[in-house]
């Protein structure tokens, strides 16, 4: 069963098990492929395209693409860097991301990606969409201004919590995360201990009254760029 | 009403004043001032923008109002939110960390104002050539002083960073407390330089004292007028920049109100809207809108307090009060002297706090019964700052009202402009740059943060427009 597959990422030989995705194999080899919608323990979604790599010259999502013997994967190239930067910038302008006062700052994966890719200000015009806050739940709130539609909460609630609190509704620019209830978040059975609350990469789903309890300097990405945990884990091996 | 021969002189923008300001002087045919007004374009969008936001976000969000005293807004909002979470009785560590942040802020702001903005006027005189009467000129002629200004500002900013997490727009103060203490290592960095800072504070105070006493004949009447004064004071009457109750006195020192809790501010203060200005005009209710206006900031605070609880600043205050025989000082240019007393006071407070072990405590946050309204006042570097919020059951802000120090000083600055314009421009056939700058000097004494927006330091282009009463520009001068 476990015949080993070998392929290359940026010329480096990587071995993997059949059925793994390129991202899983890269993680094990200590190669960081940037990502946003992918989350360990959740089924891949392949929606954000931040993890775009070249497989034998064709663009593929590393989080969904299975490994295959002998494939040539490009990851850390100028061209891919430019594509990923563009995607991240578009995510920024599409919502209302005010990092300077957002309580997720320093722990936010979108912000951390922007830092890693050296994005100071997006080149696209801000769309300033009008989005709602749902603060009806006593302990959790949704600020849709910051939602990037990664679908982590949808998958976590459905597959891990077994509840299905969240679901996408609408299409295109109208697409948004809705709650499975008559009216608001308060009407769902969402609990603060749910996986769905924990997995949001940005400041869209948050526990209430936590705010800025962690000081600047002790937040997740204050000292180490996003992805460095994957890179370091391998170098320790 | 205005005669058809009236001209309007507009000075725009006011140089070396943070934010946007425009001064218009209405002249008649004989160049006599008939009216002078300071037009302030104030940012009032915040009170709308904050609606619907979760309350714990506000202390961080509100700092965007101001680029030079964000910490004052941060702390005022946090203090208001303490009431929301029922945590207004802070732990010693939380209160002292916040105080350290606040004194660090006052220290850097007063140092910035004095060395970068005001010192050119004081060291070179109002009429000196503008080519040297600026911060570059100070650096050339008084290099030591300029370096001190930079170093003192940096010291204050580093204190802000150590307490709030960042030099600007930090997150330190949270509802009911603070999110970090001060490590021994952080403390020792500040302790190492505190004596030097205090020495420089004494030097800066001396510059302000020497200037005022040497030029009393011109400085005393300059833009001066009798006024009420307002600030918070401690229960025992001591100056307290971080917390206390409201006190207001009249120009002779008679108490108009005293020990009014911040939560009752709206019972004693109201705001008037005037058609020609976006900015409101606050006044003391018991006196009414016409005469109820008051001054805030360093001068007002020195006037209202009974004493200062740090020895060197208290000695300096006594010296200051001698100038007016113990009566309130109504001299506009004395703001600079008062500000330097507070600089020294902040330095002393920082030193005392650094030596206080409570800063290394680990009990950082408290809370109690939830409330839906929070009101708090701090003494920001420029004066009394009111924050008032209402929060719904879902934790969202539904109402915000702010009275910033520049709003309180709105009427006084208008008075000062009019006084200076009358004294220095009336009857003169020509409007020189020096004369126009007298107006700026008067405004600068108040250290206004006009639109609560920061400009790059340095000289801004000055435009003078002469407009007649029909609105036609009849002359335009630009430097
Ligand atoms: S991480 Fe692969 S598409 Fe989002």
């Amino acid at each position: 069963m476990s015949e080993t597959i070998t392929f290359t990422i940026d010329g480096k030989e990587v071995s993997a098990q059949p059925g793994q995705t390129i991202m899983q194999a890269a993680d094990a080899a200590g190669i960081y492929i940037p990502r946003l919608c992918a989350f360990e323990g959740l089924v891949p979604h392949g929606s954000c395209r931040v993890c775009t790599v070249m497989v034998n010259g064709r663009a593929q999502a590393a989080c969904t693409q299975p490994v295959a013997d002998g494939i040539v994967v490009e990851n850390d190239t100028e061209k891919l860097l430019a594509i990923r930067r563009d995607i991240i910038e578009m995510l920024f302008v599409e919502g209302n991301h005010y990092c300077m006062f957002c309580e997720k700052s320093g722990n936010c994966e979108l912000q951390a990606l922007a830092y890693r890719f050296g994005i100071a200000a997006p080149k696209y015009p801000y769309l300033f969409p009008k989005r709602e806050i749902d603060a009806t739940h006593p302990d959790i709130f949704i600020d849709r201004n910051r939602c990037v539609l990664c679908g982590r909460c949808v998958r976590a609630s459905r597959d891990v919590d077994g509840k299905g609190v969240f679901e996408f509704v609408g299409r295109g620019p109208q697409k948004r995360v809705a709650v499975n209830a008559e009216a608001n978040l308060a009407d769902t059975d969402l609990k603060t201990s749910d996986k769905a609350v924990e997995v949001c990469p940005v400041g869209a789903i948050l526990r209430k009254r936590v705010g800025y309890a962690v000081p600047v300097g002790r937040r997740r990405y204050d000292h180490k760029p996003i992805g460095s945990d994957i890179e370091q884990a391998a170098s320790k091996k | 009403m205005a005669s058809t021969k009236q001209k309007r002189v507009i000075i725009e923008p006011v140089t070396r004043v943070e934010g946007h300001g425009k001064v218009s002087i209405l002249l008649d045919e004989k160049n006599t001032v008939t009216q002078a007004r300071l037009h302030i374009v104030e940012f009032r969008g915040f009170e709308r923008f904050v609606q619907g936001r979760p309350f714990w976000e506000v202390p961080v969000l509100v700092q965007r109002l101001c680029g030079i005293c964000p910490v004052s807004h941060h702390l005022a909002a946090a203090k208001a939110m303490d009431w929301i979470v029922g945590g207004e009785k802070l732990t010693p560590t939380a209160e002292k960390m916040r105080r350290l942040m606040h004194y660090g802020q006052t220290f850097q702001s007063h140092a910035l104002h004095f060395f970068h903005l005001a010192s050119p006027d004081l060291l070179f005189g109002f009429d000196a050539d503008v080519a040297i009467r600026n911060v570059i000129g100070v650096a050339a002629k008084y290099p030591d002083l300029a370096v001190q200004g930079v170093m003192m500002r940096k010291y204050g900013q580093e204190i802000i960073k150590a307490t709030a997490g960042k030099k600007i727009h930090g997150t330190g103060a949270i509802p009911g407390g603070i999110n970090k203490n001060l490590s021994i290592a952080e403390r020792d960095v500040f302790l190492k330089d505190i004596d030097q800072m205090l020495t420089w504070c004494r030097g800066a105070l001396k510059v302000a004292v020497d200037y005022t006493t040497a030029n009393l004949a011109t400085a005393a009447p300059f833009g001066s007028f009798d006024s009420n004064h307002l600030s918070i004071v401690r229960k025992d009457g001591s100056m307290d920049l971080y917390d206390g109750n409201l006190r207001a006195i009249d120009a002779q020192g008679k108490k108009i109100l005293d020990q009014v809790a911040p939560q009752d501010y709206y019972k004693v203060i109201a705001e008037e809207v005037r058609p020609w200005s976006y900015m409101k005009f606050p006044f003391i209710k018991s006196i009414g809108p016409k005469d109820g206006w008051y001054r805030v900031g360093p001068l007002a605070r020195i006037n209202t307090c009974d004493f200062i609880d740090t020895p060197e600043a208290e000695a300096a205050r006594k010296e200051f009060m001698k100038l007016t025989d113990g009566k309130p000082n109504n001299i506009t240019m004395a703001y600079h002297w008062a500000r330097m007393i507070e600089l020294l006071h902040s330095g002393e407070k920082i030193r005392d706090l650094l030596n206080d072990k409570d800063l290394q405590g680990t009990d950082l946050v408290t809370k109690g019964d939830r409330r839906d309204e929070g009101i708090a006042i701090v003494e920001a570097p420029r004066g009394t700052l009111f924050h008032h919020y209402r929060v719904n059951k879902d934790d969202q802000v539904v109402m915000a009202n702010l009275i910033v120090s520049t709003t309180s000083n709105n009427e006084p600055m208008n008075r000062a402009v009019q006084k200076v314009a009358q004294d220095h421009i009336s009857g003169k056939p020509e409007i020189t740059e020096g004369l126009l700058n007298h107006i700026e000097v008067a405004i600068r004494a108040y250290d206004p943060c006009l639109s609560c927006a920061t400009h790059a330091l340095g000289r801004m282009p000055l435009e003078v427009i002469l407009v007649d009463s029909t609105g036609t520009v009849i002359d335009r001068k630009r430097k």
Side-chain angles (χ1 to χ4, degrees), chain B residues 40-336:
Chain B
I40 293 172
V41 184
E42 197 207 11
F43 176 67
R44 298 284 293 190
F46 171 79
E47 284 148 337
R48 294 278 290 282
F49 187 67
V50 77
Q51 307 234 342
R53 299 308 309 172
F55 72 81
W56 54 89
E57 201 177 72
V58 176
V60 175
L61 195 162
V62 72
Q63 300 178 88
R64 313 304 300 181
L65 264 178
C66 179
I68 43 176
C69 61
V71 171
S72 308
H73 286 293
H74 180 56
L75 288 173
K79 281 179 70 185
M81 297 316 171
D82 292 345
W83 288 82
I84 300 290
V85 300
E88 70 278 2
K89 293 209 170 49
L90 298 178
T91 67
T93 304
E95 175 166 340
K96 285 171 188 176
M97 281 296 284
R98 285 195 191 176
R99 281 183 178 272
L100 182 61
M101 192 193 299
H102 193 48
Y103 292 117
Q105 153 80 355
T106 308
F107 192 83
Q108 73 91 16
S109 176
H110 280 2
L112 170 79
H113 181 266
F114 187 72
F115 289 97
H116 294 215
L117 306 178
S119 73
D121 299 331
L122 307 191
L123 295 168
F124 298 116
F126 316 158
D127 289 317
D129 185 356
V130 283
I132 59 154
R133 187 167 40 82
N134 57 51
V135 68
I136 311 290
V138 174
K141 188 135 183 249
Y142 305 92
D144 290 355
L145 216 55
V147 170
Q148 288 169 19
V150 172
M151 299 296 283
M152 290 170 85
R153 179 147 198 250
K154 184 154 185 295
Y155 188 84
Q157 285 176 323
E158 291 297 336
I159 286 182
I160 294 169
K161 188 175 172 205
T163 49
K166 284 158 78 179
K167 283 185 199 166
I168 51 163
H169 306 140
T171 63
I174 57 178
I178 193 90
N179 66 13
K180 75 186 285 285
N181 64 7
L182 195 74
S183 71
I184 301 274
E186 286 169 322
R187 180 199 68 185
D188 289 350
V189 171
F190 297 121
L191 272 178
K192 185 168 67 61
D193 291 332
I194 187 65
D195 289 337
Q196 179 65 77
M197 292 300 144
L198 285 166
T199 305
W200 288 345
C201 288
R202 292 174 201 119
L205 173 63
K206 190 170 179 314
V207 171
V209 174
D210 289 352
Y211 160 79
T212 317
T213 43
N215 299 281
L216 200 58
T218 47
F222 184 81
S224 296
F225 45 82
D226 280 2
S227 79
N228 306 313
H229 299 269
L230 178 135
S231 79
I232 50 171
V233 292
R234 211 164 65 185
K235 281 215 169 61
D236 60 1
S238 169
M239 171 183 276
D240 193 336
L241 302 178
Y242 173 75
D243 198 28
N245 292 326
L246 285 167
R247 173 183 283 179
I249 57 166
D250 69 13
Q252 274 66 52
K254 198 169 120 284
K255 289 196 180 79
I256 303 166
L257 53 96
D258 196 17
Q259 298 298 342
V260 175
Q263 285 65 42
D264 292 330
Y265 88 94
Y266 57 88
K267 293 179 186 162
V268 293
I269 305 281
E271 291 178 277
E272 188 196 15
V273 178
R274 294 186 194 170
W276 58 270
S277 177
Y278 291 113
M279 200 174 238
K280 291 186 195 166
F281 289 79
F283 62 91
I284 297 163
K285 273 187 178 174
S286 63
I287 307 181
K290 189 170 160 286
D291 298 315
W293 54 276
Y294 54 86
R295 287 196 262 199
V296 298
L299 182 70
R301 292 189 286 246
I302 302 274
N303 281 330
T304 52
C305 75
D306 299 327
F307 66 98
I308 301 178
D309 66 344
T310 55
E312 288 192 63
E314 171 60 5
R317 185 195 69 86
K318 284 190 176 135
E319 206 52 42
F320 180 86
M321 294 315 288
K322 274 191 204 154
L323 194 70
T324 50
D325 296 324
K327 290 273 175 210
N329 184 320
N330 287 292
I331 302 171
T332 292
M333 289 306 280
Y335 260 96
H336 296 294

Side-chain angles (χ1 to χ4, degrees), chain A residues 176-209:
Chain A
R176 63 185 198 100
V177 170
V179 294
N180 181 16
E182 280 295 304
N184 300 310
L185 198 59
D187 310 314
T188 70
D189 55 354
L190 188 68
K191 297 261 170 334
T192 49
S193 54
D194 284 359
K195 188 81 175 168
V197 178
E198 180 194 311
V199 293
C200 181
V202 290
I205 300 177
L206 289 163
R207 291 191 182 100
K208 280 186 171 180
R209 299 174 295 276

